Amino acid sequence: MTRRNAIIGWITLAVFFVIFIVPFIFIFLTAAKDVQESAMLEFSWPSNWHVWENFMAVIKARNYMLLLAYFNSTVITVGAITLVVVLSAMIGYIIQRRPGRTNDVVMATIMAGLMISAGGRAHNLGPAILGTVQDIAWYDPDPGILQPVLWRAFVQVLYRNNSARLGRGRNYRRGQTATDLLPGDPTAIKTGYRNTDCGAVCHNLQRLHQYAILPSRS
Amino acid sequence: MTLMSLSRPNSLAFLAGTNPDKAMFVQCVTCARPGQTATVKIMAKRKSAYPYWFHVPGIFIYALLFLVPSASAFFFSMTRWDLFEWTWIGFENYEQFFKEPFLVEGIWHTVIYAFLTSGTKTVLGLLLAVLLTSGLKFQGFLRSTVFFPVLVSTIGVGIAFAQMMHPTKGTINVTLAAIGIDGPGWLVDPELALYTVAIVDIWKGVGLATLIYIAGLASISPEYYEAARIDGATRVQQFWRVTVPLVRPATVTVLILSLIGGLRSFDIIWAMTRGGPGFASDVLASVIFKQYQAGFYGLSTAGSVILFIMVALIIMPIVYFLNRREVDL
């Protein structure tokens, strides 16, 4: 840790404190005030702390509706995420690995789902599947860090386990990339892939190969 | 091997010993005679490791919860509808929608809002990601801080910021007054309200962009930077010549996701201004919701269809353009 990084670190911390943390302090302090005091909208220390009363009031409101809501949310979330993880991974896997007209149609339908807003948010499945395809197509085999959503983690597992099948049917050994396996000049192969007309979905696969080849060009 | 005897041996010699279903694909492209293709198809059917039935459960739910409601949306947008009875009126809803100046204004607000938020999120996200991968002190804590607003409820954030942006009593203007600045009426000024909401949206959403960019930056090999340094590139040159081109997949993801999110955004606008003052910060989604609340179900459904078409018209060319450029990289 250089001196410079320490100084920039402190400055960033100060800026982030004002921009990202102060609003949450405001939320917390307001949540601890009684009704009259909170209505003044002041950024001030509460004269009396009402944390527990406010907390209980929220829970008790409308005959403990909050607890029921939590229960419902949990059931919906767990159920939905489970389904999304399993089903969208299945679809994304097939779309990615089996280029063809059928999958072009499926992909286009799912893309439409991402853009439509009618029917509310009941269609989380669409973005998830698209994300699966994007993840397989766009991310390095070693994405490093921070795959925020559960299904992404799942897809990564799927991807790693099956990366052996990528690249013209040859088998990878551990640690190899597409560059190591594709014979000849990578640029020529890249051009060959580009000239192959295999529909929109297949471009994702082509892109993956290019992305894997990319590090060898310098 | 049957495969070999049915096909042109020379062109397929390299397939010997490879994964059969991959071989099927290549062969189907190169085969000339119909008889060969048929044989190949039978084999592919038996051997494919990627069966189409994987689509069935997902597509079933997708059709049930999305395709059917969407198709019915197109239908009901052509009707006068009170949820129980409908009368066919053709394109009257659409005509009405485009005749109402406030509704048309909502379309422009949507476009401005979406491009403003997604553009700023992309730029800020990249800069923050570069900053937060440069080995600062408190780096882990700072990453968590910038991501934290993504996790909390949009409605809660909207309410809290609406309080802090109160023109006279709000924390922001009180603070500005203390250092001698006359703060603007953030949410009550019709000229400003939409941009204020956009700022709060950026505040809340920039963490996700940063996160995606950090993952993207992590996949760039350090060797590029090493080579650039040896060639004498400055930090700024490294950023423009190495980071920006190579982080492109992340840029595409961030841009598309935040643009679609911006075009469809509703909850933060509803929590902060309800489209007000007047119609100054009304976007399409809030217009649709207001029509729905007022009981104009047909009209609001027509609005949804317009929103869909608009998102498609904006997103499709952008996706096409970005993907094509990526191929040329």
Side-chain angles (χ1 to χ4, degrees):
Chain A
M1 178 99 40
T2 60
R3 192 181 159 75
R4 187 170 162 278
N5 279 346
I7 293 169
I8 297 176
W10 278 105
I11 294 169
T12 316
L13 185 70
V15 174
F16 275 24
F17 181 80
V18 173
I19 294 176
F20 290 108
I21 298 179
V22 164
F24 287 103
I25 298 176
F26 174 79
I27 292 172
F28 178 74
L29 290 178
T30 308
K33 291 171 182 174
D34 60 25
V35 178
Q36 288 80 26
E37 204 180 353
S38 67
M40 289 158 71
L41 305 181
E42 283 175 349
F43 192 91
S44 62
W45 208 247
S47 50
N48 287 303
W49 288 81
H50 292 270
V51 179
W52 184 250
E53 291 139 78
N54 288 342
F55 185 69
M56 289 310 289
V58 169
I59 289 183
K60 281 180 185 165
R62 293 203 224 165
N63 200 15
Y64 293 94
M65 194 184 74
L66 188 77
L67 296 182
L68 181 67
Y70 262 118
F71 177 76
N72 290 344
S73 293
T74 311
V75 171
I76 291 168
T77 307
V78 170
I81 294 288
T82 310
L83 280 177
V84 165
V85 166
V86 176
L87 302 185
S88 62
M90 282 164 74
I91 294 180
Y93 181 55
I94 300 300
I95 287 182
Q96 180 64 31
R97 295 296 158 76
R98 194 169 172 183
R101 188 160 291 267
T102 315
N103 279 332
D104 284 351
V105 173
V106 173
M107 183 71 178
T109 319
I110 291 161
M111 280 283 280
L114 192 69
M115 294 178 225
I116 211 157
S117 95
R121 300 291 172 98
H123 53 270
N124 279 330
L125 204 59
I129 298 165
L130 192 74
T132 307
V133 175
Q134 287 173 345
D135 265 13
I136 295 177
W138 287 350
Y139 281 88
D140 201 65
D142 274 316
I145 42 164
L146 299 169
Q147 292 292 319
V149 191
L150 188 60
W151 55 261
R152 289 200 170 185
F154 183 80
V155 168
Q156 287 301 329
V157 173
L158 196 74
Y159 180 40
R160 279 159 191 243
N161 288 345
N162 287 286
S163 58
R165 286 169 174 264
L166 288 175
R168 295 199 168 180
R170 288 159 193 262
N171 289 327
Y172 288 107
R173 284 192 295 278
R174 192 178 295 273
Q176 276 184 322
T177 65
T179 326
D180 301 316
L181 293 175
L182 292 168
D185 176 19
T187 320
I189 289 157
K190 194 183 132 183
T191 319
Y193 269 76
R194 190 194 288 158
N195 292 340
T196 311
D197 184 20
C198 59
V201 173
C202 183
H203 281 301
N204 278 326
L205 192 64
Q206 293 176 339
R207 209 186 305 150
L208 174 66
H209 283 287
Q210 280 155 18
Y211 193 52
I213 288 165
L214 196 64
S216 71
R217 301 165 68 211
S218 49
Chain B
M1 193 181 167
T2 4
L3 195 76
M4 297 295 292
S5 63
L6 282 168
S7 328
R8 286 167 293 172
N10 287 340
S11 66
L12 287 161
F14 73 97
L15 290 171
T18 57
N19 187 342
D21 54 81
K22 285 289 178 189
M24 289 310 105
F25 174 62
V26 175
Q27 205 178 17
C28 288
V29 173
T30 54
C31 284
R33 279 179 291 145
Q36 294 171 340
T37 320
T39 319
V40 162
K41 271 183 183 166
I42 291 163
M43 281 189 68
K45 205 172 182 179
R46 198 175 34 174
K47 290 267 189 176
S48 176
Y50 314 119
Y52 279 131
W53 68 259
F54 268 36
H55 285 328
V56 173
I59 292 294
F60 174 74
I61 293 182
Y62 187 71
L64 195 72
L65 295 178
F66 170 70
L67 292 181
V68 172
S70 304
S72 58
F74 276 94
F75 172 75
F76 282 118
S77 70
M78 305 273 193
T79 64
R80 192 173 289 119
W81 183 36
D82 66 355
L83 296 180
F84 302 103
E85 287 177 1
W86 53 268
T87 40
W88 182 264
I89 55 169
F91 283 94
E92 233 173 78
N93 282 325
Y94 293 92
E95 276 173 37
Q96 199 184 339
F97 204 96
F98 283 111
K99 265 184 204 157
E100 199 72 65
F102 296 124
L103 305 188
V104 177
E105 207 183 319
I107 295 177
W108 286 117
H109 289 160
T110 312
V111 174
I112 293 169
Y113 183 90
F115 278 93
L116 190 66
T117 52
S118 67
T120 318
K121 278 178 195 172
T122 311
V123 174
L124 270 184
L126 178 57
L127 294 178
L128 283 173
V130 170
L131 182 73
L132 296 179
T133 47
S134 62
L136 298 184
K137 199 176 171 69
F138 316 116
Q139 185 165 282
F141 177 76
L142 292 172
R143 282 184 189 183
S144 318
T145 312
V146 83
F147 189 65
F148 192 61
V150 178
L151 301 172
V152 297
S153 143
T154 310
I155 303 289
V157 165
I159 292 170
F161 269 93
Q163 291 187 350
M164 287 197 292
M165 286 168 166
H166 189 280
T168 51
K169 298 190 288 181
T171 309
I172 294 175
N173 278 2
V174 170
T175 313
L176 288 178
I179 54 172
I181 301 171
D182 196 11
W186 297 102
L187 294 169
V188 293
D189 185 345
E191 298 281 303
L192 205 62
L194 186 70
Y195 301 101
T196 308
V197 180
I199 290 171
V200 178
D201 192 341
I202 293 161
W203 178 87
K204 185 165 162 36
V206 76
L208 190 61
T210 310
L211 191 79
I212 295 171
Y213 267 124
I214 287 174
L217 289 177
S219 69
I220 299 178
S221 163
E223 287 153 21
Y224 286 110
Y225 293 101
E226 201 186 325
R229 268 199 306 279
I230 291 168
D231 287 347
T234 61
R235 292 295 272 270
V236 178
Q237 281 172 326
Q238 283 176 39
F239 176 77
W240 286 111
R241 305 286 171 131
V242 180
T243 307
V244 172
L246 288 180
V247 84
R248 187 184 176 87
T251 309
V252 175
T253 311
V254 170
L255 205 60
I256 299 296
L257 288 183
S258 57
L259 195 57
I260 293 178
L263 286 168
R264 301 197 328 194
S265 70
F266 167 73
D267 36 12
I268 196 156
I269 288 168
W270 197 251
M272 291 185 75
T273 64
R274 312 223 155 199
F279 300 91
S281 62
D282 250 334
V283 295
L284 256 180
S286 66
V287 165
I288 292 165
F289 189 71
K290 281 177 180 173
Q291 303 299 331
Y292 171 80
Q293 273 190 322
F296 300 116
Y297 300 115
L299 188 61
S300 70
T301 314
S304 292
V305 172
I306 291 170
L307 179 59
F308 166 63
I309 292 169
M310 201 176 87
V311 175
L313 284 182
I314 292 175
I315 296 292
M316 293 281 217
I318 291 177
V319 169
Y320 179 76
F321 174 75
L322 289 175
N323 283 347
R324 205 181 47 170
R325 284 284 302 276
E326 198 173 0
V327 168
D328 291 339
L329 190 72

